Amino acid sequence: MKKFAKFLALTLAVLMVVTAFAGCAKKPVDEKKVYTIVSDNAFAPFESYDSEKGEYVGIDMDILAAIAEDQGFEYNMMNVGFDPALAKVQAGQADAVIAGMTITDERKLVFDFSDGYFEDGQVLVVAANSDIDSIEDLKGKVVATKNGTMGAKYAKENKDKYGYTVKAFEGSNEQYQAILNGNCVACFEDYTVIGDAIRNGIKLKTVGEKINPSYYGFAVKKGKNAELVKMFNEGLKNIKANGKYDAILAKYGL
């Protein structure tokens, strides 16, 4: 009996050693990369929060989802606001940004962009009952801007020429409210975005023609995540070819 017990103990010890070595020799399972992608949090129809669904929706959200499905990559979305989104990518805290972000030479110094996925431009916006007819009428008045945007850039570049001052806000809704409550008289907003807001009942109107027509792009930190930009471009081509891209725009009335 004692011999059998010793034999059993020895056998178990050998099995434990073999198992341990087998575990060490086993190759680690490759984990699929999950990208962190950031976006604006209030820029309808490209991104906005749907309280009924409890999630962010919009053109950018749908285009990214369709491209990710087409290309087989996974991602986590964080809707943090436009300026914070750009800062997170630049700081290496996120892999990419999609947020109605216009492709410009200045931004190309710090970001690598995808092919353009939507063309838009800016337009002068005032209260629905305003008597402002042109940018010349802004002299001596205060214009709202949204931090980090092309509308803000245009407003700042032209404030001395037309004699107005600017006041910065974090989001589109904040600058709209500043106009509605009389703290500011105007802003420069993306044409498609303000058009969506007006259709949904906000008491604002546009003045004049579209300014600086240009394309939005998906962007990564310069020199990083080239594979993600490549997948975005390939996926964009595919969803345009198979009709998904047009279906997404039609869903939002475009």
Side-chain angles (χ1 to χ4, degrees):
M1 186 68 180
K2 288 183 179 180
K3 288 183 178 180
F4 177 77
K6 286 181 179 180
F7 173 79
L8 181 60
L10 181 61
T11 302
L12 290 173
V14 170
L15 285 173
M16 289 174 66
V17 171
V18 171
T19 302
F21 273 104
C24 292
K26 188 178 180 181
K27 292 182 179 180
V29 177
D30 290 334
E31 292 187 8
K32 190 173 184 179
K33 181 174 175 61
V34 178
Y35 295 97
T36 297
I37 300 177
V38 287
S39 186
D40 203 342
N41 55 11
F43 198 58
F46 294 93
E47 40 267 334
S48 61
Y49 187 70
D50 187 322
S51 57
E52 291 185 3
K53 293 182 178 180
E55 62 185 21
Y56 282 91
V57 299
I59 294 170
D60 285 350
M61 303 295 98
D62 289 359
I63 285 177
L64 181 60
I67 289 174
E69 181 180 12
D70 181 86
Q71 293 293 298
F73 67 83
E74 297 179 8
Y75 65 93
N76 291 322
M77 173 59 68
M78 298 171 60
N79 292 76
V80 296
F82 186 76
D83 228 19
L86 271 58
K88 280 186 175 292
V89 175
Q90 288 178 281
Q93 297 171 349
D95 296 302
V97 54
I98 182 168
M101 182 179 177
T102 302
I103 302 170
T104 68
D105 289 338
E106 184 179 1
R107 286 173 175 165
K108 285 179 180 179
L109 297 176
V110 291
F111 296 101
D112 288 329
F113 282 93
S114 68
D115 296 335
Y117 67 86
F118 187 86
E119 186 180 30
D120 209 354
Q122 290 73 54
V123 68
L124 177 60
V125 180
V126 299
N129 60 357
S130 175
D131 59 0
I132 291 173
D133 292 324
S134 70
I135 192 171
E136 286 83 2
D137 294 333
L138 299 178
K139 186 175 182 179
K141 298 178 172 61
V142 182
V143 173
T145 63
K146 177 181 174 182
N147 287 335
T149 63
M150 293 302 294
K153 184 175 185 292
Y154 183 85
K156 291 173 184 176
E157 288 175 347
N158 288 278
K159 65 185 180 66
D160 293 335
K161 180 179 179 180
Y162 293 103
Y164 58 81
T165 57
V166 299
K167 185 174 182 179
F169 297 89
E170 281 298 317
S172 292
N173 291 336
E174 287 84 352
Q175 66 175 352
Y176 299 162
Q177 192 58 46
I179 297 171
L180 294 172
N181 64 25
N183 289 336
C184 299
V185 299
C187 72
F188 293 95
E189 179 63 285
D190 285 24
Y191 186 86
T192 302
V193 174
I194 192 59
D196 181 80
I198 291 171
R199 284 193 299 273
N200 281 285
I202 195 165
K203 302 300 181 182
L204 299 173
K205 66 180 180 180
T206 62
V207 175
E209 300 298 318
K210 188 187 295 185
I211 304 162
N212 297 330
S214 48
Y215 279 93
Y216 292 162
F218 175 84
V220 300
K221 185 176 181 179
K222 196 165 188 66
K224 303 289 184 180
N225 292 303
E227 78 288 346
L228 185 53
V229 174
K230 182 179 179 181
M231 288 190 291
F232 187 93
N233 286 339
E234 289 299 318
L236 181 61
K237 290 177 185 176
N238 291 343
I239 67 171
K240 283 186 173 182
N242 64 26
K244 287 185 179 180
Y245 177 86
D246 287 339
I248 290 169
L249 295 189
K251 176 182 173 181
Y252 296 93
L254 300 175

